[in-house]
Amino acid sequence: MASRVYSLWRWGLLGGGLSVLAGLLAACRPSPATPATTDPSRDLVATQVALIMTQTAVVVPATPIPLPATPTVTLAAPTPAPPTPVPPTPEPTLPPTPDGGPCAPDRTTFVTPTPGDWDSYLGYRYNEGWLLDSDYGPRGGFLITPDWGVVREGFSVEMYFEGADPDYMVVFLQQRCQAADGSRYWEIIDVLTVPQPESNQAVLLGPEEYHYGPKFWEPARAKDGRALMGAELGLICSTPVPRPLVALIQTDPAALPDIYDLDTRVPVTVLQAWHIDLVTTQRFKAVEPLPTDCKSGYTYVP
């Protein structure tokens, strides 16, 4: 009996000791910690660092592979292209005159002009001599030649002063033509009427070919009238004056000297001016703007 009790005590003691030992072990075991709050930015940095390290780890330096040498190519010099030929400048196409054009084929109806109705002379043809007879008073004329710097010849100008018209000086532009039978004739292609010059006015044609202005120098008098023989009243302006030209000019009588000679130049005003356009219109064409800063005086024409 006693031994049985002792055995039970011994087992109880052993169980108690095991319980105490378990309690001690439980006390020494660390209690579970509270889970920490995750920082996304720190995780992102860690991920990037891991990724960089991973990429760095797998990068293998490439072994350069020798390439074959590039052959040297010598380019031949290009053959120069032949120069582009410059086409010749075409001759200007001249427009027809109202009656069909100068030197036109023989027409079935002929123009019959009426003196005083000067436009009725357009297209009129005549052979030789003067267009108007001497009953129409003083007259003059000249051929247009390349010496004037024009591009065409075979034209002429014929003018009539106060005898043909009391109010106007009449200027005809005409061209030399040849008929089918070989005969030659003149054809009127334009007519210009210029107001008759008054005191201290003059009409210049050319210029320096003809002038008409018997009272231009009044009240001045020539130093030596014989020195003016063969001289014509010319026009010099700050801007070039086209030729052939018809111009009506005027001077201030206060600017006239008491005497004058071939060296005298006086300021003048160009009242009206017309250029004979032989390239595009074959007409008298008004000069616009009018020349300014002009002087006039006699020029000797041998």
Side-chain angles (χ1 to χ4, degrees):
M1 180 73 176
S3 62
R4 186 177 178 182
V5 170
Y6 175 76
S7 297
L8 291 173
W9 176 85
R10 190 179 50 184
W11 285 107
L13 181 61
L14 179 61
L18 292 175
S19 298
V20 172
L21 180 61
L24 291 174
L25 291 174
C28 294
R29 179 184 304 172
S31 59
T34 303
T37 303
T38 303
D39 187 349
S41 62
R42 298 177 64 182
D43 292 343
L44 179 59
V45 172
T47 302
Q48 291 176 343
V49 171
L51 180 59
I52 293 173
M53 294 179 63
T54 303
Q55 290 177 342
T56 305
V58 299
V59 172
V60 179
T63 303
I65 301 175
L67 299 177
T70 303
T72 302
V73 179
T74 302
L75 300 178
T79 304
T84 304
V86 179
T89 303
E91 291 292 331
T93 301
L94 302 176
T97 52
D99 61 283
C103 299
D106 293 339
R107 55 176 68 85
T108 55
T109 58
F110 292 90
V111 174
T112 303
T114 302
D117 181 8
W118 306 118
D119 287 340
S120 68
Y121 280 81
L122 287 173
Y124 176 64
R125 295 178 174 183
Y126 67 101
N127 294 325
E128 300 295 339
W130 292 92
L131 176 62
L132 302 180
D133 58 36
S134 59
D135 294 339
Y136 289 92
R139 57 195 176 186
F142 53 87
L143 292 174
I144 296 176
T145 67
D147 294 340
W148 281 24
V150 298
V151 296
R152 306 189 72 193
E153 54 183 326
F155 294 84
S156 69
V157 174
E158 199 168 297
M159 72 286 298
Y160 293 84
F161 307 111
E162 70 275 4
D165 193 305
D167 299 320
Y168 296 97
M169 185 176 130
V170 186
V171 186
F172 296 96
L173 176 62
Q174 50 196 11
Q175 184 177 9
R176 190 68 166 165
C177 302
Q178 182 173 341
D181 59 3
S183 61
R184 308 284 291 180
Y185 62 90
W186 290 102
E187 180 174 337
I188 306 301
I189 59 177
D190 202 7
V191 183
L192 176 68
T193 54
V194 185
Q196 290 284 355
E198 301 176 357
S199 295
N200 305 123
Q201 292 183 354
V203 177
L204 307 181
L205 298 105
E208 299 178 5
E209 289 291 339
Y210 287 91
H211 81 277
Y212 178 70
K215 299 179 181 180
F216 179 77
W217 293 102
E218 291 183 350
R221 293 292 180 266
K223 179 178 180 181
D224 185 352
R226 292 173 297 177
L228 303 180
M229 295 179 62
E232 297 296 339
L233 197 61
L235 183 65
I236 301 174
C237 301
S238 59
T239 56
V241 179
R243 301 181 70 178
L245 180 78
V246 179
L248 176 63
I249 64 173
Q250 180 173 4
T251 186
D252 183 359
L256 293 175
D258 294 333
I259 56 177
Y260 59 91
D261 55 24
L262 290 177
D263 296 326
T264 302
R265 294 292 180 269
V266 297
V268 296
T269 301
V270 180
L271 302 178
Q272 293 177 282
W274 300 266
H275 166 54
I276 303 177
D277 185 354
L278 300 177
V279 176
T280 59
T281 64
Q282 298 182 23
R283 297 289 190 277
F284 291 104
K285 182 179 180 181
V287 176
E288 294 178 353
L290 292 174
T292 57
D293 189 22
C294 299
K295 293 183 178 181
S296 186
Y298 280 117
T299 301
Y300 179 71
V301 180

